[in-house]
Amino acid sequence: MKQHFPLKNVQQEKRLFRSRIFIAIGLVVLCFSALIARYVYLQIFHFNEFATASDNNRIRLQPLAPARGYIYDRNGVLLADNYPVFTATLSKADVDDIDNTVKALMPILGLNQEDVDRFNSRIKTAKKTERVTLKLNLNETEIAKFSEVKYKFPGVKIETQMTRYYPYGELFAHVIGYVGRINDKELKSINKDVYAGTNLIGKIGVEKYYEDLLHGTPGNESVEADAHGNVLRYLGRKDPVRGNDLYLSLDYGLQTVASEQLAGRRGAIVAMDPRTGEILAMVSSPSFNPNLFVSGISSKDYTALRDNLDQPLYNRALQGVYPPGSTIKPVEGLGGINYNVINWGTKIVDPGYFHLPGDSHKFRDWKKGGHGIVDLNKAIQESCDTYFYTLASQMGIEHMNDWMRQFGFGAKTGIDLPNENSGLYPSPEWKMRTRKAKWLRGETISVSIGQGAFTATPIQLAMATSIVSNQGNHLIPHVLSSSKGSKPFPIRNAPDGKVVFNGTEDDWLKMREAMVNVINSGTGRGIRTSAYQIAGKTGTAQVKSIAQGKKYNESILTERQLDHGLFVGFAPADNPQIAIAVILENGRHGGAAAQLARPVFDYWMVQRKNNPIRPTLHQVTGSLMTAGIQPGQLPSGDNILQADPNAVPNKDKNKPKAKPPHATAPSAPQAEITE
C-alpha cells in the first residue's frame, strides 16, 4: 500500500528562513553596537582616567628635592653648606608589607626606634609613589650589609641626598641655627607638595626665619619602572630650583673675636652698625654644635645639652632678660631733657642716698658718701644713682615709660630671627594687670637705674645704644644683608623712623660727649685708647637681693649670685660705625664687661682693615670630623672657606625648652653697686 506525503510549503519556509536571518543579523548588530559603545566609553569619555591608571603601572612621577640655599657672612665666608650623604628610602607602592619590611631592616641599617617612629609618621601621609626616608647618613658598613640582601627588599633603595653641615660649629650656632628632620607637628602644617622628597626643615635661627627663601622649589622626573620599582628609563624631567643664597651682615672675624672674649664665661655680645641696623656679630656663650641636630640628635646628647646648668641651647643675645642697670642712664637723661625736667646745667647735691618726700627709706648710691655736686654730664660720667633717683621722682613712671619705649625697651626689636624676648618695661597698668596691685613710688626709683621689674635683652641694649649714637634715628636690627636667587626679597638698610625729641641736636652731641667722658675718665676708663675714641656706659645689675640696712658682702655669695656686669658703647664717637652691648653674667661689675668690648672695638676699628681674620682649613676639617663627616665626602671643587659674594657657587643645583637665665633683683636698690 502506497504512503502519500503532503507537498512542501516553499513560501512558508522562505519566510521562516528570512526571519531567522534578520534575528541573527539583529543580534550581531546589537553585539557590535554594545562593543562600540563600550569602546567609546573607555577610549573617549574615560580615556584620561584609564590611560593614567595604566601608565601608573609602569610610569611614575618622582619628586626631586631642591638643594638648600647657602649662607655666607658679609665677606663671602661660607657658614652653612650642603654635602651628599647616602640615604635609605622606601616607596609604599612597591612594598606590600611595610611594617615587616622595616622590622627586617632594623639590624641591617642600624635603625633605632626613633628612626622607625619618624618614618611611620611620614609614610602615612606620603603619596603612593613618593620615596620616604628610612635613615639619613648611612655609613659604609650599613651600605655593605644592605647590598648583600638587596634582592629581598624590592622598593627599598640607597640613594644620594643633600644634607646640611656648618663648618664653624659653635661659632654661629645661635644666629644661623640648624635644620632637622621634619617632625609630626611640622608635617601637619607644611605644604607636602613643596616638601615632597625633603627630610629637613629649619628649626631655629636664620635657617628657620628664612626657611621659605632657603628651601627652594621642588622638581620632578617621569620614569618607567618595572614591577619591583626599578627604573628602566627616564621619560622626562623638571629640574628643581635651588633655594636663595643668603649673605648675612655678620663678620666672621668680629664674631671670632667676640666669641673669644666670652670663652669659658656665660654672657652675650651684640655688635651692630648704628647707621643701618645690620648685626655685625652676635655671640651667646656657652654655645653648642648645630651639626649634631641635622640627621637627628641622640637622646643622650640632647639630654646633656638640655640639662646643662650653663644652658648652651639658650640664645642669651635674643632671649636672655637682665636688669639693664646703669646702661640706660644716657637714654633716661635725654628723657629728662625731652620733658623739660632737667637741662645740662641742672645740679643736685648727692649725699650718697635719696629718699622720697615723707618717706624715711633710703635709696643708696653705689658710691658711699656720694658724688658731691652733680650735673647731668657728671652723673653719666660717674654713674651717679642719686641724680637719676631725683630725675625719676620728678619725671614720673608714665613719662619714663613713654620715652623708653621709643628706644625699644619693653617690646621686641623686630630682628629677623625667631623666638626673640620682649623684655619688660614696667608700668602701673602692667602691675595692676599682672599682680593686681597699685604702683608704688619706690618702684619708679628702682626702675630709674635699670633695676626692679625692668628687664632688657642684649639686642635691645644694642639697638637703644645705636639710636643714641645716631641722634635719634630708629633702627630695626637685622642679620640679612642680601638674598640672591629665584625668590626676590627686599632688604631695608636704613632707619625706619626718628625718636620724637623736644630737645636739640646739640643735646644728642652733649650726651655723646658725656659717654666719651665715661671712657676717658669715668667708670669705663679701663678701655680708653688713643687709636680712636669710644663712647660708652657701664652698668651693674644685682642678682641677689640685699635687705635694707645690710651691706653687700661678695665673699658670702656663690659665684652665680654675684652681680652681672654690663656695658654699652659705640665708636668712633664722632662718626659711629659700630655699637656694642655686652652682658657678662655674674661678672661683678660693668668694668669687667667693658674689658670684653675693647678687643671687639679694636678688631673693627683697627685690625679688620689690614689684618682681617679668616677661617683656616684646619678649623673646617675639625668641625667636619666633629659632625661625623669625612672631608672626602664633600663635593669636589667646593670652596668651603670663602666665596665671591657677587657670584653664584659652582655647584650642581640638582644634586640629589630650657628655662631662661633670669636675674632677680630687689624692688629697690638697697646695697652698694660698684660700677
Side-chain angles (χ1 to χ4, degrees):
M1 183 176 180
K2 262 185 187 178
Q3 187 175 3
H4 297 281
F5 294 95
L7 296 174
K8 292 181 178 181
N9 189 334
V10 177
Q11 295 299 324
Q12 185 179 355
E13 289 183 356
K14 286 182 178 181
R15 286 195 298 272
L16 180 62
F17 180 75
R18 281 197 297 270
S19 63
R20 289 176 178 175
I21 290 176
F22 290 144
I23 291 172
I25 292 173
L27 289 174
V28 171
V29 171
L30 182 62
C31 289
F32 269 102
S33 298
L35 184 63
I36 292 171
R38 183 62 177 170
Y39 182 81
V40 170
Y41 174 83
L42 294 176
Q43 294 295 324
I44 297 178
F45 295 105
H46 291 269
F47 172 80
N48 291 333
E49 176 183 346
F50 291 104
T52 300
S54 176
D55 285 343
N56 280 343
N57 291 328
R58 59 186 182 87
I59 298 175
R60 297 181 180 180
L61 195 64
Q62 298 183 163
L64 297 174
R68 207 166 173 83
Y70 302 102
I71 302 176
Y72 301 89
D73 87 335
R74 66 188 301 116
N75 301 307
V77 176
L78 186 56
L79 306 180
D81 197 5
N82 301 323
Y83 76 97
V85 294
F86 291 108
T87 304
T89 64
L90 179 150
S91 171
K92 61 182 179 181
D94 303 315
V95 179
D96 295 328
D97 191 341
I98 294 177
D99 291 339
N100 284 332
T101 298
V102 173
K103 185 176 180 180
L105 286 169
M106 288 183 71
I108 299 172
L109 299 178
L111 299 174
N112 57 38
Q113 193 57 47
E114 291 180 7
D115 294 325
V116 175
D117 292 342
R118 192 180 293 116
F119 168 79
N120 287 336
S121 297
R122 191 71 187 268
I123 197 71
K124 291 176 183 177
T125 58
K127 295 180 179 179
K128 189 173 182 179
T129 58
E130 181 182 346
R131 305 202 65 83
V132 179
T133 296
L134 273 166
K135 186 177 182 180
L136 276 171
N137 204 4
L138 297 174
N139 58 41
E140 294 179 359
T141 302
E142 292 163 346
I143 295 172
K145 285 182 178 180
F146 178 77
S147 298
E148 294 176 356
V149 294
K150 178 181 177 181
Y151 66 93
K152 296 181 180 180
F153 300 99
V156 180
K157 291 183 179 180
I158 303 296
E159 299 179 335
T160 300
Q161 293 185 2
M162 301 300 289
T163 191
R164 203 66 145 170
Y165 92 94
Y166 305 96
Y168 310 109
E170 298 183 358
L171 186 58
F172 292 92
H174 288 104
V175 187
I176 295 177
Y178 56 82
V179 297
R181 300 284 290 273
I182 298 173
N183 59 36
D184 292 344
K185 182 179 179 181
E186 292 161 340
L187 199 58
K188 294 176 182 177
S189 60
I190 62 175
N191 185 327
K192 294 179 179 59
D193 291 331
V194 173
Y195 282 86
T198 301
N199 301 300
L200 304 175
I201 193 171
K203 298 290 185 177
I204 65 171
V206 170
E207 292 277 27
K208 179 178 181 179
Y209 193 92
Y210 289 110
E211 170 66 23
D212 290 343
L213 288 179
L214 289 166
H215 178 65
T217 305
N220 57 69
E221 61 182 1
S222 179
V223 299
E224 184 178 358
D226 61 20
H228 297 288
N230 297 312
V231 176
L232 302 177
R233 62 187 178 119
Y234 292 89
L235 304 177
R237 178 185 177 96
K238 178 184 177 183
D239 290 332
V241 179
R242 185 163 59 82
N244 281 26
D245 294 331
L246 304 186
Y247 291 85
L248 307 184
S249 55
L250 300 171
D251 183 274
Y252 173 87
L254 192 69
Q255 185 84 359
T256 299
V257 172
S259 180
E260 289 172 349
Q261 307 317 303
L262 286 172
R265 308 168 188 250
R266 298 182 303 278
I269 296 178
V270 177
M272 65 184 288
D273 188 330
R275 301 165 297 184
T276 64
E278 291 183 320
I279 299 298
L280 307 176
M282 179 181 287
V283 175
S284 176
S285 179
S287 188
F288 64 95
N289 185 357
N291 292 300
L292 296 173
F293 290 84
V294 175
S295 58
I297 188 171
S298 68
S299 297
K300 180 181 177 181
D301 288 340
Y302 181 73
T303 300
L305 288 171
R306 183 195 62 196
D307 297 342
N308 189 319
L309 188 60
D310 290 334
Q311 299 176 313
L313 295 177
Y314 201 73
N315 186 351
R316 288 164 163 82
L318 284 185
Q319 298 167 288
V321 288
Y322 308 89
S326 296
T327 59
I328 51 89
K329 287 177 179 176
V331 180
E332 201 166 83
L334 289 167
I337 294 173
N338 178 69
Y339 291 112
N340 295 315
V341 176
I342 60 171
N343 56 48
W344 289 96
T346 302
K347 298 177 181 179
I348 68 163
V349 177
D350 173 24
Y353 61 87
F354 170 84
H355 62 79
L356 291 163
D359 191 340
S360 61
H361 179 90
K362 291 183 178 180
F363 296 91
R364 300 189 181 277
D365 192 281
W366 70 267
K367 184 178 181 180
K368 189 175 182 179
H371 298 265
I373 299 175
V374 183
D375 60 10
L376 180 56
N377 189 302
K378 185 177 180 180
I380 296 294
Q381 179 180 328
E382 298 185 9
S383 199
C384 175
D385 293 333
T386 306
Y387 191 95
F388 290 93
Y389 296 154
T390 306
L391 171 60
S393 68
Q394 297 176 24
M395 188 158 48
I397 190 62
E398 288 83 4
H399 279 159
M400 290 168 61
N401 199 293
D402 291 342
W403 175 253
M404 299 297 282
R405 286 184 177 275
Q406 287 199 80
F407 290 78
F409 293 109
K412 296 180 180 180
T413 65
I415 189 172
D416 50 348
L417 290 172
N419 305 318
E420 181 186 4
N421 200 317
S422 64
L424 173 65
Y425 197 90
S427 66
E429 183 276 332
W430 162 82
K431 188 177 180 184
M432 181 59 68
R433 185 181 72 252
T434 59
R435 302 183 181 179
K436 308 302 180 185
K438 292 183 178 181
W439 185 262
L440 302 177
R441 291 187 301 166
E443 292 177 290
T444 302
I445 306 305
S446 180
V447 169
S448 72
I449 60 165
Q451 294 280 177
F454 184 7
T455 60
T457 63
I459 187 64
Q460 287 176 326
L461 291 174
M463 184 176 78
T465 304
S466 294
I467 295 173
V468 171
S469 75
N470 66 30
Q471 301 175 43
N473 290 312
H474 187 273
L475 300 162
I476 297 179
H478 57 278
V479 297
L480 183 59
S481 180
S482 65
S483 171
K484 298 181 180 179
S486 61
K487 301 177 182 179
F489 189 84
I491 310 294
R492 182 179 179 86
N493 285 324
D496 69 328
K498 197 170 181 68
V499 171
V500 178
F501 181 50
N502 292 323
T504 65
E505 183 176 333
D506 191 51
D507 291 316
W508 294 104
L509 299 178
K510 285 183 177 181
M511 183 55 72
R512 177 187 296 178
E513 182 182 349
M515 295 176 71
V516 169
N517 292 337
V518 170
I519 304 302
N520 289 342
S521 56
T523 57
R525 56 187 175 275
I527 65 169
R528 180 176 52 194
T529 175
S530 60
Y532 55 93
Q533 201 170 58
I534 302 173
K537 183 70 190 75
T538 58
T540 304
Q542 284 182 274
V543 175
K544 176 70 174 178
S545 299
I546 307 297
Q548 174 73 11
K550 297 292 184 178
K551 186 176 180 180
Y552 181 81
N553 188 350
E554 187 177 290
S555 63
I556 65 173
L557 300 177
T558 65
E559 189 270 339
R560 292 180 186 269
Q561 291 177 327
L562 298 176
D563 295 341
H564 294 325
L566 300 100
F567 174 81
V568 297
F570 52 89
D574 59 346
N575 182 28
Q577 299 173 26
I578 180 173
I580 297 177
V582 180
I583 170 70
L584 180 59
E585 291 184 14
N586 311 115
R588 300 175 56 220
H589 54 78
Q595 292 293 332
L596 303 186
R598 170 65 188 277
V600 181
F601 278 128
D602 284 348
Y603 178 80
W604 195 254
M605 298 304 304
V606 180
Q607 181 183 347
R608 175 177 61 101
K609 299 173 183 177
N610 300 318
N611 186 26
I613 297 174
R614 291 288 184 265
T616 64
L617 184 60
H618 173 75
Q619 290 173 300
V620 178
T621 304
S623 180
L624 289 172
M625 300 299 287
T626 302
I629 306 165
Q630 298 299 322
Q633 287 182 254
L634 293 174
S636 61
D638 286 356
N639 184 350
I640 58 178
L641 297 182
Q642 191 169 5
D644 177 1
N646 297 314
V648 176
N650 183 22
K651 298 194 177 187
D652 182 0
K653 65 180 178 180
N654 302 319
K655 285 185 179 180
K657 166 169 192 187
K659 183 179 179 181
H662 184 88
T664 56
S667 59
Q670 299 168 340
E672 291 182 8
I673 304 177
T674 303
E675 289 293 327

